[in-house]
Amino acid sequence: MNSATQIGRLTEPEAPDAELDLAGSAPDPLTIGRRVRHVRQEAGRTLGDVADAIGISPSALSLIETGKREPRLSVLAALAKVLDASVQDFLSSAPPSRRAALEIRLEKAQRQESYEALGLPKVKVGPRLPDEALEALVGMHEAMASAQADSAATPEHARRANGELRERMRAADNYFGDIEAEAATLLKAINHPGGPISRAAVDRLAGHLGYKLIHTSDLPGSTRSVSDLRNKRIYLPQPEAGQHDSRSLAMQAVGHHVLGHRPPADYSEFLSQRVEINYFAAALLMPEKDTVALLRTAKQDKDIAIEDLRDAYAVSYETAAHRFTNLATRHLGIPVHFMRISQEGVIYKAYENDGIVFPSDATGAIEGQRVCRQWTARRVFDQPDLTQAYQAYTDTRSGTYWCTAVVDRTSAGSFSVNVGVPYQHVKWMRGRDTQERSVSRCPDPACCTAPPQPLAGRWDGQAWPSARVHSHLLAAMPPGVFPGVDDTEIYAFLDKHAPTD
Ligand SMILES: [Zn+2]
């Protein structure tokens, strides 16, 4: 839209001057007003004098000059004539002077909703405002805006935060000794005898920390649990049949308090806290000492299997697989990789310290990328029996890996959970005798991304799919200290459930 049609549409439906071609960047009323005032002052004319000359009231001209009213083109033409200027002089999008440019920036900053939300007074932008003060205010507004933009979790920020976190986990071999120690201390305090943690043990654990666990069916939809810090209660969803382990949710909620978490300052801290509470819950469900003993014996027998961990501790395959990655490198000297991908091959979660090269975008982010069709994590979906773990060797550009994968069916679709080790470490793993083998030549497009001939020959240029957007991966992160959580909803929930005394 050019300036002429814009102004015509807003203030003058009949638009007699619309034939004026004013293409280019459309100036806003504020800039136009500043330019009018600048030209008038340069000409040494008063507001009243000029208003009289073009037949409008001084207050109307003042509204135009302060950008509060969009001038008609006919008014601009009249002004141009009286001030011996051209309409183009007013419609240029460049501010007439540095001072005017600063005034425009301050006006705009003070009109931002984010500034209004602060409830602070607006500084009157006029000739009495000293240059220095103007300069300082504009500088502060713009610094504040860029700080806000930095902490807002755009997909770009989320990707970067994920990348940094993965880097930290890899540097630590995905093992966090301080969290292991917290978990061990707690288990000792409730005299846990070892083995799986029962619901009753989880209650005792929370009780030891002064918290009461309450299951409720009306937990706010944007949350997995809510803690009432005043009354020391933790609200959890009702455990439903087939649902994920409610013990995990309880221990994750407890984890925030044990690990001394503060409200996250930004998205990256939010993510770190998520990783820490997941780790903490896993360290309670599968205590380090016992789990490592079990794994060491299995290693001696050259018979390590994720299934055995899963069954010994009554956890999901994914929890067992994840826990294996925590302990395998530190205690068994085995580098590993872990992946959770959708049936379409899209990475949701991944970790490696064994050199496998995940597909990544230009920023180095891997979430949302698609892994090679030849990888075990994808081939598992083609297996006739999806209830069984599937094992295979894959030659990749970074070496040969052996992987074991299972399919996890959820209400959000099917996912595969995959754990793998480099070829030289497969001797410790059960399932290494598999005959399944594949070759991945990705990122060579001829591997699996480019359609094969003659299929491509028949359909190239003749297909137009309408894509389903992966909104969960690509949309901006929801706002808020706890992303996407509505404070009003949480406070109302706590009010409703708080003990009356
Ligand atoms: Zn491929």
Side-chain angles (χ1 to χ4, degrees):
M1 179 187 302
N2 67 31
S3 324
T5 52
Q6 188 175 35
I7 289 169
R9 182 175 60 79
L10 291 179
T11 60
E12 211 170 36
E14 68 276 21
D17 304 314
E19 72 276 7
L20 267 173
D21 181 18
L22 301 164
S25 62
D28 53 282
L30 197 54
T31 306
I32 296 174
R34 291 301 146 122
R35 294 195 69 90
V36 169
R37 186 166 75 189
H38 178 75
V39 172
R40 174 177 63 75
Q41 286 171 342
E42 290 283 288
R45 307 282 294 268
T46 68
L47 196 74
D49 165 31
V50 172
D52 275 353
I54 64 165
I56 65 172
S57 70
S59 62
L61 182 55
S62 170
L63 287 174
I64 289 171
E65 290 195 354
T66 51
K68 288 174 186 131
R69 178 181 290 175
E70 201 163 352
R72 299 181 186 195
L73 277 174
S74 53
V75 169
L76 287 182
L79 279 168
K81 200 168 170 200
V82 167
L83 295 171
D84 196 20
S86 78
V87 173
Q88 292 290 0
D89 289 339
F90 302 136
L91 291 176
S92 156
S93 56
S97 66
R98 168 151 178 82
R99 163 94 196 179
L102 285 170
E103 287 182 353
I104 290 167
R105 276 152 70 187
L106 183 57
E107 278 283 357
K108 285 184 178 166
Q110 294 192 137
R111 286 184 196 176
Q112 291 292 319
E113 225 174 75
S114 55
Y115 183 71
E116 286 186 10
L118 295 174
L120 295 172
K122 289 185 181 173
V123 174
K124 196 171 180 315
V125 182
R128 278 199 299 274
L129 185 63
D131 281 353
E132 271 174 0
L134 183 61
E135 194 95 48
L137 282 169
V138 168
M140 284 194 287
H141 272 290
E142 292 180 357
M144 192 174 80
S146 91
Q148 269 177 354
D150 278 349
S151 67
T154 61
E156 178 66 34
H157 287 95
R159 281 158 189 272
R160 203 184 305 150
N162 268 312
E164 286 165 4
L165 189 56
R166 204 170 48 252
E167 220 25 72
R168 263 176 34 219
M169 286 161 66
R170 181 223 292 250
D173 285 334
N174 206 16
Y175 174 86
F176 297 106
D178 50 339
I179 302 181
E180 299 284 0
E182 291 284 358
T185 306
L186 257 181
L187 287 171
K188 204 167 171 208
I190 62 157
N191 295 314
H192 182 65
I197 291 223
S198 62
R199 287 260 172 82
V202 174
D203 280 333
R204 281 208 306 282
L205 212 142
H208 172 74
L209 297 165
Y211 283 90
K212 188 167 188 235
L213 302 180
I214 297 171
H215 293 269
T216 172
S217 55
D218 64 344
L219 201 69
S222 57
T223 64
R224 305 199 298 178
S225 69
V226 178
S227 296
D228 172 345
L229 301 177
R230 181 187 299 137
N231 299 299
K232 297 273 189 175
R233 293 167 148 210
I234 295 174
Y235 296 97
L236 297 157
Q238 293 285 9
E240 282 171 38
Q243 276 283 349
H244 262 229
D245 206 330
S246 78
R247 296 173 306 166
S248 276
L249 283 182
M251 288 181 285
Q252 287 170 9
V254 168
H256 282 305
H257 311 303
V258 173
L259 302 174
H261 287 169
R262 318 295 311 167
D266 53 25
Y267 187 71
S268 130
E269 190 173 356
F270 169 78
L271 274 185
S272 302
Q273 292 185 355
R274 281 288 289 268
V275 165
E276 287 174 20
I277 58 167
N278 283 332
Y279 194 109
F280 176 74
L284 287 171
L285 282 172
M286 313 177 74
E288 180 177 25
K289 203 164 143 262
D290 296 352
T291 311
V292 168
L294 186 154
L295 285 171
R296 283 213 171 109
T297 305
K299 190 182 174 196
Q300 265 163 23
D301 298 343
K302 299 192 170 179
D303 195 31
I304 298 175
I306 306 296
E307 293 90 321
D308 289 355
L309 277 187
R310 174 195 66 191
D311 298 342
Y313 290 100
V315 293
S316 69
Y317 189 91
E318 180 167 4
T319 301
H322 225 285
R323 189 64 176 140
F324 177 68
T325 68
N326 296 155
L327 305 172
T329 310
R330 164 61 63 115
H331 292 291
L332 309 175
I334 304 175
V336 290
H337 67 267
F338 170 93
M339 262 182 280
R340 178 181 173 81
I341 68 166
S342 72
Q343 189 150 13
E344 295 76 41
V346 172
I347 298 178
Y348 276 65
K349 227 191 257 179
Y351 158 79
E352 63 77 27
N353 69 349
D354 63 0
I356 198 166
V357 181
F358 294 125
S360 63
D361 68 13
T363 69
I366 61 170
E367 288 78 13
Q369 298 293 304
R370 205 190 290 256
V371 304
C372 178
R373 280 175 191 280
Q374 299 303 329
W375 285 17
T376 308
R378 290 194 69 183
R379 282 161 51 101
V380 62
F381 288 110
D382 303 330
Q383 301 313 305
D385 182 2
L386 292 184
T387 63
Q388 294 292 316
Y390 169 68
Q391 282 105 22
Y393 291 90
T394 313
D395 297 333
T396 76
R397 58 175 162 147
S398 55
T400 300
Y401 295 86
W402 171 92
C403 295
T404 177
V406 299
V407 172
D408 178 21
R409 294 166 194 268
T410 75
S411 56
S414 290
F415 294 84
S416 82
V417 176
N418 176 108
V419 174
V421 300
Y423 185 76
Q424 60 270 36
H425 292 279
V426 72
K427 57 183 179 241
W428 314 115
M429 309 300 291
R430 184 190 303 165
R432 63 182 171 275
D433 51 351
T434 177
Q435 300 301 308
E436 296 286 320
R437 198 169 188 114
S438 63
V439 177
S440 161
R441 283 173 290 125
C442 272
D444 176 358
C447 172
C448 65
T449 48
Q453 290 291 347
L455 202 57
R458 280 199 299 280
W459 291 105
D460 191 20
Q462 299 302 320
W464 189 281
S466 179
R468 190 192 299 271
V469 174
H470 288 272
S471 53
H472 52 286
L473 289 168
L474 303 178
M477 292 298 139
V481 171
F482 300 99
V485 172
D486 179 348
D487 287 342
T488 309
E489 192 187 16
I490 302 305
Y491 297 167
F493 169 85
L494 288 176
D495 243 6
K496 181 179 159 194
H497 287 271
T500 46
D501 48 13

